[in-house]
Amino acid sequence: MIFNVEMETMPHDQMRELQLQRLKETLQHAYQQVLFYREAMDQAGIHPKDIMSVDDIAKLPFLQKKDLRDHYPFGLFAVERSKVARIHGSSGTKGKPTIVGYTKEDLDNWAEIVARAICCAGGKPGDLFHNAYGYGLFTGGLGLHNGVEHLGATVVPVSGGNTSRQITLIQDFAPRGIASTPSYLLNIIETMRKEGIDPSKTSLEYGVLGAEPWSEEMRQQIEEGLGIKAVDIYGLSEVMGPGVSIECAEAQDGLHIAEDHFIAEVVDRHTGKVLPYGEIGELVFTSLTKKAFPVIRYRTGDIASLHSETCCCGRTTLRMSRIKGRVDDMLIIRGVNVFPTEIESTLLQFTELSPHYQVEIMREGSLDRFEVHVEVTRSFMEQVPNWETSDTLALLKSAICLQMKENLGVSIHLQIHAADVLPRSEGKAIRVVDKRNSVQV
Ligand code: DLL
């Protein structure tokens, strides 16, 4: 089922026309209302009226995360604060959050975009929907919440955490859909098994999972574990929140961008040059309908590529690949660039391991040392006598290291722990722990 047929199946040229008209309005609005945009455009020698085609967007200066921090809290708002109906913020752990705002109209648009996204994932009006994204400044909880209501489905606003209660509610309410981070859903599956509940026997049929990078191998574990279709949803508070793009249940191959609300570009992360479709680089988004917090060429720090081929689901919108990772999370191991999801893909091929892992970076002399921490499953510990000193463990360790070397071209230091030792996620999983600047005693 397609929710907004007109927008989601619009021919490409027509969509470009709509985007151009909305882009012009957004630029005019931002130029008039936000000193930052006026100064940035003046400095670049470009005026909104100079934009004659969507491709002209490349002439405009970028917006960076630093600009949001420099104008904390409301310096980039384009309407009076009293017209702002809601505030959200980034889930960043360092320093103050980056703050964004929405007018009532922005919230209505967002709800429609998320309703469309849920349909794309296989949802429909009348569904019962378990929402395990955190509620608060983070856009996941309330973003999905309003989308479910807009769709005409029933939302269960559980938020993240209290996993046993989540499981009780899933069993008692019998939802069709669930939303959470993939890492938290793995935690829920694992807890079900510990509580003697077969996760494949729940009522769940589809999952709307995102807010963090995850691999195909993790998708497979979730789909097999719960017997559901798991689709990837992408978004970020600076641009709007969840729903900027989502995979369709039919293809699960690339995320459909809500192009009537956002223009996507991929740029070379060093030169800022726009890259052709198919090439991997940094995603950049421009909002087309937001009034309170328009963003013009926001550099997301997320690495992906864009694809224009038509999808088997019938949607004509541009698709983006799944996010390989964030620029800040990229590990440079002896000159080789590695994303945590690539490590994840290899680890999850080993059924002896649980799907939980963490990478620690430490300083060793003048070099960085990368330690990958994994844990064996409980059944491995039960099946292998004296598992910690066994040959089976030694063989497993060398097999993982060899596979890692083959897949990623790097040698890693592997630490294998007992089951249930590594931290479990209740929201966004922390995959990389950088200990280089911590004091060693
Ligand atoms: O994570 C919004 C969201 C909520 C998306 C629920 C999907 C579902 P922020 O907290 O601002 O917003 O974090 C945004 O999270 O720049 C990406 O690095 C990462 N991210 C979001 N979705 C995905 C995804 C929400 N599907 C940052 N795959 C983004 C990989 C993702 N990374």
Side-chain angles (χ1 to χ4, degrees):
M1 174 200 172
I2 292 180
F3 193 69
N4 188 329
V5 179
E6 191 198 348
M7 291 302 163
E8 294 178 74
T9 63
M10 192 179 272
H12 183 71
D13 292 350
Q14 222 173 305
M15 179 57 81
R16 285 305 246 194
E17 264 174 48
L18 178 72
Q19 286 186 324
L20 180 60
Q21 177 208 325
R22 291 183 171 180
L23 175 64
K24 285 180 171 179
E25 286 165 12
T26 298
L27 292 176
Q28 224 18 284
H29 175 61
Y31 189 85
Q32 277 165 8
Q33 303 299 329
V34 186
L35 180 63
F36 167 84
Y37 282 121
R38 193 156 57 247
E39 285 180 350
M41 284 190 228
D42 286 350
Q43 219 168 37
I46 180 122
H47 188 270
K49 69 173 170 13
D50 301 329
I51 300 297
M52 310 303 276
S53 72
V54 172
D55 290 339
D56 282 346
I57 200 171
K59 297 175 182 167
L60 293 161
F62 290 117
L63 173 70
Q64 317 255 11
K65 192 156 192 120
K66 179 180 180 304
D67 300 320
L68 271 72
R69 293 220 173 93
D70 289 348
H71 295 84
Y72 174 88
F74 307 142
L76 295 180
F77 282 17
V79 295
E80 283 171 33
R81 212 277 307 132
S82 60
K83 299 267 181 332
V84 175
R86 197 195 294 164
I87 281 167
H88 275 290
S90 75
S91 45
T93 45
K94 292 173 220 131
K96 287 185 174 164
T98 43
I99 292 301
V100 298
Y102 307 76
T103 63
K104 176 75 181 61
E105 190 192 339
D106 294 337
L107 289 176
D108 290 345
N109 281 333
W110 184 17
E112 206 237 33
I113 294 167
V114 175
R116 266 157 62 170
I118 297 168
C119 278
C120 205
K124 55 181 185 339
D127 280 359
L128 193 94
F129 193 93
H130 184 100
N131 186 13
Y133 281 123
Y135 281 61
L137 272 189
F138 174 53
T139 51
L142 284 166
L144 260 294
H145 184 102
N146 289 351
V148 176
E149 288 188 349
H150 189 89
L151 178 63
T154 310
V155 63
V156 186
V158 205
S159 195
N162 202 343
T163 309
S164 288
R165 192 183 57 163
Q166 305 256 0
I167 295 169
T168 306
L169 296 185
I170 291 170
Q171 290 195 299
D172 294 348
F173 295 176
R176 246 195 103 224
I178 187 165
S180 84
T181 58
S183 59
Y184 187 45
L185 196 50
L186 276 177
N187 185 351
I188 293 178
I189 294 172
E190 184 181 58
T191 311
M192 281 182 177
R193 290 194 177 119
K194 272 190 204 151
E195 293 181 2
I197 297 160
D198 180 351
S200 69
K201 297 265 157 51
T202 71
S203 56
L204 289 169
E205 290 177 37
Y206 64 94
V208 181
L209 315 180
E212 64 185 5
W214 53 309
S215 61
E216 276 306 317
E217 287 73 14
M218 188 180 285
R219 189 208 306 267
Q220 204 184 329
Q221 291 219 355
I222 290 172
E223 291 196 326
E224 285 173 10
L226 278 171
I228 62 168
K229 181 133 306 206
V231 307
D232 190 9
I233 184 167
Y234 170 81
L236 62 169
S237 55
E238 295 89 330
V239 174
M240 186 185 70
V244 171
S245 65
I246 186 156
E247 286 176 333
C248 57
E250 291 86 346
Q252 290 177 300
D253 181 20
L255 291 81
H256 291 274
I257 296 165
E259 278 198 285
D260 46 331
H261 295 278
F262 311 102
I263 294 176
E265 301 169 85
V266 164
V267 303
D268 180 297
R269 99 188 162 76
H270 302 290
T271 64
K273 203 172 141 285
V274 179
L275 297 175
Y277 292 162
E279 283 191 29
I280 295 173
E282 181 178 350
L283 274 173
V284 171
F285 280 101
T286 298
S287 67
L288 295 174
T289 50
K290 285 204 308 172
K291 288 287 183 296
F293 196 86
V295 284
I296 296 166
R297 303 199 85 204
Y298 181 65
R299 290 190 71 148
T300 62
D302 294 323
I303 303 296
S305 53
L306 294 174
H307 302 270
S308 59
E309 298 81 16
T310 315
C311 183
C312 64
C313 72
R315 287 178 184 81
T316 50
T317 42
L318 196 62
R319 277 176 286 168
M320 53 182 251
S321 68
R322 300 180 78 177
I323 304 289
K324 276 175 80 73
R326 284 192 61 75
V327 174
D328 347 323
D329 278 347
M330 193 174 73
L331 309 166
I332 306 175
I333 307 179
R334 271 166 233 102
V336 182
N337 298 347
V338 178
F339 284 107
T341 42
E342 294 173 307
I343 295 177
E344 178 181 299
S345 290
T346 303
L347 293 176
L348 266 58
Q349 286 164 18
F350 290 87
T351 51
E352 298 88 343
L353 300 180
S354 83
H356 309 280
Y357 69 97
Q358 212 162 46
V359 184
E360 265 182 22
I361 317 174
M362 280 161 298
R363 186 66 85 188
E364 201 175 56
S366 59
L367 292 174
D368 289 337
R369 179 185 165 91
F370 296 84
E371 252 177 34
V372 178
H373 293 261
V374 295
E375 53 173 56
V376 286
T377 58
R378 194 148 281 285
S379 67
F380 178 87
M381 287 164 59
E382 282 159 9
Q383 279 162 23
V384 180
N386 302 319
W387 69 273
E388 275 173 292
T389 50
S390 67
D391 288 348
T392 318
L393 186 74
L395 283 171
L396 175 65
K397 191 169 178 177
S398 56
I400 297 169
C401 291
L402 192 70
Q403 197 63 48
M404 211 59 99
K405 176 93 187 142
E406 238 176 75
N407 293 359
L408 308 177
V410 292
S411 305
I412 53 144
H413 299 276
L414 188 68
Q415 298 280 351
I416 305 186
H417 301 272
D420 299 325
V421 163
L422 295 176
R424 298 301 192 252
S425 144
E426 291 195 343
K428 292 183 190 243
I430 297 166
R431 297 299 185 200
V432 180
V433 181
D434 192 341
K435 293 190 162 170
R436 280 173 296 191
N437 291 325
S438 59
V439 184
Q440 307 276 323
V441 267

